[in-house]
Amino acid sequence: MNRLFGWMIIGAVLCAALTGQMPALSLAAVTQTGEAVKLALTLMGTLCLWSGMMRVAQKSGLTELLGRALSPLLKRLFGGLNPHGEAAQAISMNLAANFLGLGNAATPFGIRAMCEIAREQRLGDTASNDMIMLVVLNTASLQLIPATTAMLRAQNGCTTPFDILPAVWCASLLSVVAGISMAKMLARSPSARIKADRREGGKFG
Amino acid sequence: MADWIIPLTIAGILGFAMIRRVPLFDTFLEGAREGLQTTWDILPALVGLVFAVGLLRASGALEMICTALAPLGHLLGLPREVLPLAILRPISGSGALAAFSDILKTHGADSVIGRIASVMQGSTETTFYTIALYYSAAKIRNTRHTVPAALSADIAGFFFAGLFVRLLL
């Protein structure tokens, strides 16, 4: 992440210098930070709402029910977690929200899940295999109803915005499988373990 | 039908809790306060990322990357026109949305290009944004193989988008 950040910005500046886009770049440099804050504000509202909902769902036992329903799946995907713990519950909510296409809700649950995993596994600042699995599951996105995409299609004059649904399902499913396989494979690779062991004194699985 | 999901989910959560006699608003506030804390934690990462992506787009670097990657796109069965989306999708949710909207306007939602772009948009998520967000909230700095694993899911998604649009539609 550190290097990517550096390269993105330096690359952009170099490119602008070479293509004469400096004015545009300059403008972006000044306005983008404002955009970021606007985005953060939007996120804040959503985060507060769904974090609140999650707390209610937890207090009422709903997340535990969901966690139990999804636990066979979670056990398969997340080897290092307590199947009845807070992390597992948060992950269930996250996956369920993702599946239902509640992108805005899935993010707070996902963040919560990540924090809970960190709390449960206590590995300092290194990502564990379960954390990586969580990220991969979220970025691969398995949605039953891709509502935003369909809405944009409809806005552009498409009369059958959901005709892409089977294709989306197939592509989603296979991309999730690809991501999971890659995550599991790389988790076992000797270099990954060595890197992790060196960092944490050999406490990995 | 998609309109029903959010209202029903919220009503469902609250209704269930009501039956279980949970103090709804107080509990909600507890959770919402955590949401506030999380926003505070992720704001720096967000500023950095949105800034960097904005610069990339304004400088035309993104266009250049797409041109350079056109042969690779061809290999994956992706038409050149959806490449900006393929590049932006892992990097920026708003960037991807902008690129997607642009593609639909230019090529129409029912063309092969429009369909492939739609399936790409619907079956993948914003990789780097998610990584930055999740890990900065949990204060993780060493991400190990997260990026390669997540990117392989994205690339697979793009490839299968191209494939299934041609097969099924």
Side-chain angles (χ1 to χ4, degrees):
Chain A
M1 207 48 182
N2 282 316
R3 264 173 288 161
L4 182 68
F5 184 62
W7 279 115
M8 280 170 93
I9 297 188
I10 294 177
V13 175
L14 279 177
C15 179
L18 293 173
T19 59
Q21 293 277 24
M22 267 310 178
L25 190 74
S26 229
L27 184 65
V30 166
T31 54
Q32 282 303 307
T33 49
E35 288 300 312
V37 173
K38 270 192 238 165
L39 183 61
L41 274 177
T42 316
L43 260 182
M44 178 165 79
T46 305
L47 264 171
C48 286
L49 176 68
W50 289 103
S51 297
M53 286 296 148
M54 167 105 187
R55 196 84 187 86
V56 172
Q58 266 187 309
K59 264 254 175 97
S60 67
L62 186 60
T63 55
E64 213 198 301
L65 276 179
L66 197 61
R68 247 186 276 158
L70 290 178
S71 83
L73 185 66
L74 289 194
K75 269 188 224 158
R76 212 59 88 52
L77 293 171
F78 297 94
L81 289 178
N82 172 8
H84 300 295
E86 300 260 330
Q89 286 177 21
I91 294 176
S92 309
M93 293 293 273
N94 169 253
L95 295 182
N98 262 315
F99 190 64
L100 292 175
L102 299 173
N104 285 334
T107 306
F109 294 148
I111 292 180
R112 175 55 167 287
M114 187 60 89
C115 293
E116 289 296 336
I117 297 178
R119 202 177 305 167
E120 189 176 309
Q121 296 186 329
R122 257 173 275 149
L123 290 162
D125 63 356
T126 303
S128 69
N129 295 335
D130 294 314
M131 289 179 184
I132 296 176
M133 182 59 74
L134 180 65
V135 171
V136 168
L137 284 176
N138 272 275
T139 71
S141 160
L142 191 53
Q143 282 182 31
L144 193 58
I145 303 176
T148 328
T149 308
M151 179 191 71
L152 274 172
R153 282 172 66 78
Q155 270 181 10
N156 276 280
C158 178
T159 47
T160 51
F162 284 109
D163 57 359
I164 46 159
L165 224 49
V168 171
W169 287 340
C170 293
S172 284
L173 192 58
L174 288 173
S175 79
V176 169
V177 168
I180 295 180
S181 318
M182 197 53 134
K184 293 249 176 212
M185 228 173 35
L186 289 174
R188 283 201 215 112
S189 92
S191 70
R193 261 217 228 103
I194 293 174
K195 239 199 273 174
D197 275 353
R198 259 201 214 123
R199 270 235 155 202
E200 278 302 317
K203 225 195 329 169
F204 252 88
Chain B
M1 193 218 147
D3 295 326
W4 289 66
I5 291 192
I6 292 184
L8 276 186
T9 305
I10 295 186
I13 293 180
L14 292 176
F16 186 81
M18 213 184 267
I19 297 175
R20 293 283 180 104
R21 303 184 175 281
V22 174
L24 294 181
F25 198 58
D26 293 332
T27 315
F28 173 79
L29 288 182
E30 281 175 40
R33 266 184 217 115
E34 283 181 29
L36 205 60
Q37 179 62 42
T38 310
T39 310
W40 188 248
D41 286 333
I42 65 182
L43 185 58
L46 216 51
V47 170
L49 219 64
V50 170
F51 182 70
V53 173
L55 288 194
L56 271 182
R57 267 204 281 162
S59 68
L62 224 41
E63 258 306 305
M64 279 174 42
I65 297 178
C66 289
T67 316
L69 288 178
L72 181 62
H74 188 75
L75 215 67
L76 286 174
L78 295 177
R80 196 205 169 285
E81 290 81 359
V82 307
L83 282 179
L85 181 57
I87 304 291
L88 280 171
R89 196 72 183 100
I91 297 179
S92 153
S94 42
L97 215 52
F100 178 52
S101 179
D102 197 60
I103 292 175
L104 286 186
K105 280 200 202 109
T106 318
H107 300 279
D110 289 313
S111 61
V112 173
I113 291 175
R115 288 223 171 95
I116 295 183
S118 303
V119 178
M120 279 168 62
Q121 177 79 356
S123 55
T124 56
E125 265 301 332
T126 313
T127 308
F128 289 109
Y129 170 75
T130 307
I131 293 178
L133 218 57
Y134 283 28
Y135 284 143
S136 66
K139 317 230 189 326
I140 304 288
R141 280 156 74 231
N142 175 11
T143 61
R144 293 172 63 220
H145 55 269
T146 308
V147 174
L151 282 182
S152 61
D154 285 338
I155 295 180
F158 298 153
F159 170 68
F160 287 119
L163 187 69
F164 282 112
V165 163
R166 283 184 240 264
L167 279 183
L168 298 174
L169 288 168

